[in-house]
Amino acid sequence: MELLHSTGMETPQPSPKVNLPALMRLNSGCLVSSAEDWQVRRHELLDLARNTIYGPLPPTPRQTQVSLLHEGASRTCAGGRILSLRVTTEARHCFTMRLLLPATAGPHPVLLHGDACWGYVTDAAKCAVLGRGYALAEFNRVEVMSDLVPALVPQTTCASLTGYTGGAIAAWAWGLHRGVDALTQINAIDAQHIAIVGHSRGGKAAILAGASDTRIAFTSANNSGAGGAGCWRFCGTGAETLADITAAFPHWFSSELQKYQGKELELPFDQHFLKALIAPRYLLTTEALDDLWANPSGSWRTHQAARQVFEFLGVPSHIAMVTRPGGHGQEMTDWETLLNHMDLLFKGIPLPLGSNENGFENVDFSQS
Ligand code: GTR
């Protein structure tokens, strides 16, 4: 708890009586009491996510193909190989993907991200991924759907999305799904062990992608905040609100979400639903304690609420939240945390001692 008193660190709010919408009550009014019931509830929650927050994802293509453009030795990571790949949907160009493969023999578990538009994935991070024996697949989600504000004319290099007018986060999540389609066709990849990660707005897309595609074994969102791991109803000091984000980035979401500006308590959805949709698969959220805009205490609120489903499904350890000091960014320590949790799930390697801090762990919002 000492962390909570450091300079700039967010102070948890004094017991605001904010109830999150019920996770385990079916639309019929009955409580979820079996794994089968949960499957029904899961589909109800996916519908709600589409209808109220993100809008529908673009349609799943009949066919995703992957072709090799170029292959060579990695100039970044010693011994690594790099493949440049073209991903096509409906036989037309969609995006390019770079696949870094470790020197060891495959098939390799893989980490996929769509944030190549940013410089956050440093060479050190890439080589750390390969050094742990994972492949790293990267694409630029802005090729799939532009991030223009406002997106008056949505732009894409993905031919099958031409004319798409839905939300950008849904389109980026769809791009991650197409990345998964491609990875499952590559012999060097172990398709049972696919992890995804995204930072900030990329984290919002990653958590939606993980929630809506059961092929993804491990989902991680870093500093994803509003529309990601954060909570609409429960904003810590200085956190981005629903009104803030829908005013600044209307093109990210369903237009329906605008109606709830200042009316979060009426929203039939909150982000613990999205987290719970990942169960029984693995979810790691990483937060920075001084990144108040990304609402780290709200992420803890949704974490505590979503844990109920992981417990119900018998995998309480498959939901983890780790905090670090400092502000917004995907730093080397975040990559190390991610790789530690991938090692835990994929290889059974225990987390290194002291590597799993959570500055909120003594804060119990479950009664609020
Ligand atoms: C901010 C936005 C956040 C977050 C961030 C980012 O301006 O308000 O929700 O997504 O951008 O993506 O870096």
Side-chain angles (χ1 to χ4, degrees), residues 258-277:
Q258 307 262 354
K259 297 181 188 158
Y260 294 94
Q261 292 185 350
K263 297 183 193 160
E264 287 83 349
L265 294 180
E266 292 170 29
L267 188 66
F269 194 90
D270 215 316
Q271 298 301 107
H272 61 315
F273 285 175
L274 202 65
K275 287 185 170 179
L277 283 164

Side-chain angles (χ1 to χ4, degrees), residues 97-335:
M97 188 163 80
R98 283 158 50 99
L99 181 62
L100 271 165
L101 294 171
T104 49
H108 306 282
V110 62
L111 177 63
L112 168 68
H113 76 86
D115 289 341
C117 41
W118 283 336
Y120 294 119
V121 190
T122 59
D123 289 351
K126 291 176 189 176
C127 299
V129 174
L130 262 62
R132 301 261 193 135
Y134 300 115
L136 180 67
E138 313 182 271
F139 71 98
N140 178 353
R141 59 185 153 71
V142 177
E143 275 186 49
V144 177
M145 182 53 54
S146 77
D147 195 6
L148 295 178
V149 185
L152 291 175
V153 185
Q155 287 174 6
T156 174
T157 64
C158 180
S160 64
L161 288 196
T162 307
Y164 170 80
T165 54
I169 293 173
W172 297 333
W174 179 93
L176 285 160
H177 293 170
R178 305 295 67 84
V180 171
D181 293 348
L183 289 169
T184 57
Q185 298 172 43
I186 298 172
N187 289 338
I189 296 300
D190 171 0
Q192 298 307 308
H193 293 102
I194 295 178
I196 61 170
V197 66
H199 168 65
S200 205
R201 66 197 72 182
K204 304 179 207 296
I207 199 165
L208 175 60
S212 51
D213 191 334
T214 57
R215 296 172 301 173
I216 297 166
F218 183 110
T219 300
S220 183
N222 185 68
N223 303 177
S224 60
C231 193
W232 296 116
R233 284 169 174 73
F234 187 93
C235 280
T237 312
E240 183 173 33
T241 65
L242 191 152
D244 291 330
I245 199 168
T246 53
F249 305 101
H251 62 295
W252 285 357
F253 299 100
S254 155
S255 54
E256 182 69 16
L257 191 59
Q258 307 262 354
K259 297 181 188 158
Y260 294 94
Q261 292 185 350
K263 297 183 193 160
E264 287 83 349
L265 294 180
E266 292 170 29
L267 188 66
F269 194 90
D270 215 316
Q271 298 301 107
H272 61 315
F273 285 175
L274 202 65
K275 287 185 170 179
L277 283 164
I278 292 169
R281 293 165 296 125
Y282 202 99
L283 170 66
L284 167 70
T285 49
T286 43
E287 307 293 350
L289 293 174
D290 294 331
D291 186 8
L292 303 187
W293 187 246
N295 197 13
S297 66
S299 183
W300 181 235
R301 183 74 180 81
T302 57
H303 174 98
Q304 286 193 311
R307 194 159 52 194
Q308 182 186 10
V309 172
F310 290 80
E311 282 165 0
F312 177 75
L313 296 176
V315 286
S317 64
H318 280 195
I319 178 166
M321 173 172 153
V322 177
T323 66
R324 63 161 168 82
H328 197 65
Q330 193 170 21
E331 299 183 356
M332 203 55 214
T333 168
D334 299 312
W335 289 99

